[in-house]
Amino acid sequence: MKRRSFIGTTLGVAGLSAVGASTAIAKGPGKGKGSGTDDPELVNAELTDDGALVATDDEFVIAGQEIEIDGQELYDGAEGAYAVYNDGYSGVISNNEISVESMTDSPTFGIRVEGGDVDVTGNAVDGDDALGRQFLSVAVGGGAAGRVESNTLDGGHRVGILAEGAGTTVSIRDNEVTGLGPKSDGWAENGIQVGDGATAQVRGNTVADHWWDLDNFQSSGIILYQPGDGVQIQRNTVRNNDAGVALWGGNEHNAIHNTVEVTDDDPGENDVAHYGFLALETVNSGIRQNTIRAEDGDIGVLVYTSAENTKLIGNEVSGFADAIADEGADTKLPKPFDPDA
């Protein structure tokens, strides 16, 4: 198998595919799963002339709607085109179904939250199999707070769930985020991304099948890209992603009790490498008590030279050529090293 070593190389840092990196029609009731009402409901919200559902005041509800994105013009926002948008108000977006056939704008957002305190729960978002433009299923930014919980996000997306921007803090829990698996055209996919100063608790999610099948970028299951400090990544199942969990920037993160695995010898066609965890440009972060396994993996935990005082404690690592590749400063791990200690 061709092994790609990213340690200490420019390719390693640029290779991770992150949004923001210098590289990265309403039709009636839906059947989304999760908490909230299954009945179609619009309270303090409206269907706009451009085919989007937009909040008009606080305590809004956008629930039980079926939305198809098929080349029509949508709400023109600061970050792209939005199908569902809170417009800064606080409220609930729940149990909607959003499907994507084609897009006019790049990026296009299925659900976009900017500011306010918003619960995004029980929605189902299905991207087309081969989206030529960037689609983000759920994105929270602009200093917003709230929950992104119990949503099912399938198919093509640039990012399944994105939390971004200083002051943004969100609970990302119990979602199912599934990408397209090995792909080599369009955009590399990430499952969950927290970046640009945002903070989050990422807990109990299942993130699978984000795999870039070329050797110039890497998709990730869960990626922190220059987030705020103290992101918690707990008890997630991260399966068959190019890189499982990447801690890139920010400090004092804690990744604990996650299961990260690759279940095939080589899910792609080009012998690209896969890693369980990556740590770079971070200080005092912990990777603790995780199960990290592969059928024929490259590196279980890869610590770059730019990571300092990374704590690698109690991880079970198996099926990788190297359990740990440590080039960081003052990395803490049991001595003598035992992945199961």
Side-chain angles (χ1 to χ4, degrees):
M1 173 178 284
K2 175 185 175 184
R3 307 286 186 184
R4 283 187 292 156
S5 177
F6 283 161
I7 296 177
T9 69
T10 301
L11 178 60
V13 176
L16 286 170
S17 178
V19 170
S22 57
T23 57
I25 306 171
K27 299 179 68 177
K31 300 177 182 178
K33 73 170 193 174
S35 60
T37 177
D38 287 323
D39 297 325
E41 188 174 5
L42 287 179
V43 178
N44 294 335
E46 64 181 7
L47 173 64
T48 68
D49 292 340
D50 48 22
L53 291 169
V54 179
T56 58
D57 204 346
D58 286 328
E59 299 184 2
F60 75 86
V61 177
I62 299 174
Q65 306 296 315
E66 183 178 329
I67 303 161
E68 182 179 284
I69 302 173
D70 193 9
Q72 76 270 36
E73 297 289 337
L74 295 170
Y75 185 95
D76 185 9
E79 301 297 328
Y82 310 155
V84 178
Y85 179 43
N86 77 314
D87 201 16
Y89 296 111
S90 298
V92 174
I93 300 171
S94 68
N95 295 307
N96 302 287
E97 291 187 354
I98 302 174
S99 62
V100 186
E101 298 296 330
S102 65
M103 301 181 303
T104 300
D105 298 296
S106 185
T108 291
F109 296 79
I111 297 172
R112 176 67 182 180
V113 174
E114 294 177 353
D117 190 332
V118 181
D119 290 341
V120 180
T121 62
N123 301 280
V125 184
D126 186 10
D128 186 76
D129 287 345
L131 296 174
R133 295 177 170 87
Q134 295 194 66
F135 176 69
L136 294 92
S137 298
V138 178
V140 180
R147 302 181 297 147
V148 179
E149 296 185 5
S150 301
N151 301 283
T152 301
L153 314 175
D154 293 315
H157 47 241
R158 180 67 175 88
V159 175
I161 299 172
L162 173 67
E164 62 174 348
T168 299
T169 180
V170 62
S171 170
I172 302 172
R173 299 180 60 141
D174 301 325
N175 301 281
E176 297 179 11
V177 186
T178 307
L180 295 177
K183 58 177 302 196
S184 56
D185 57 2
W187 297 91
E189 301 180 311
N190 294 318
I192 297 174
Q193 179 176 326
V194 181
D196 296 324
T199 59
Q201 182 185 76
V202 183
R203 182 183 177 94
N205 302 281
T206 299
V207 185
D209 297 330
H210 300 85
W211 197 281
W212 184 244
D213 200 23
L214 297 174
D215 63 1
N216 53 345
F217 295 102
Q218 278 189 305
S219 290
S220 300
I222 300 173
I223 181 171
L224 308 186
Y225 174 65
Q226 306 301 336
D229 295 339
V231 176
Q232 304 293 310
I233 302 174
Q234 302 172 326
R235 299 189 183 279
N236 301 282
T237 298
V238 183
R239 182 181 299 115
N240 293 337
N241 301 278
D242 198 1
V245 178
L247 313 181
W248 181 1
N251 304 312
E252 300 179 353
H253 309 309
N254 190 30
I256 184 170
H257 293 306
N258 300 283
T259 298
V260 178
E261 60 184 356
V262 177
T263 61
D264 297 325
D265 284 355
D266 180 20
E269 298 178 355
N270 295 305
D271 293 329
V272 297
H274 43 263
Y275 311 113
F277 277 82
L278 307 173
L280 60 158
E281 297 181 14
T282 184
V283 179
N284 296 330
S285 290
I287 299 172
R288 301 178 175 93
Q289 296 176 302
N290 301 283
T291 299
I292 309 166
R293 57 191 175 218
E295 289 299 312
D296 185 18
D298 294 279
I299 299 174
V301 181
L302 172 57
V303 182
Y304 285 82
T305 57
S306 58
E308 180 180 347
N309 197 31
T310 306
K311 302 169 182 66
L312 309 181
I313 306 298
N315 298 291
E316 178 187 337
V317 185
S318 61
F320 293 88
D322 295 299
I324 288 181
D326 176 25
E327 295 293 328
D330 299 321
T331 302
K332 303 297 189 299
L333 47 77
K335 296 181 181 297
F337 170 67
D338 179 352
D340 296 325

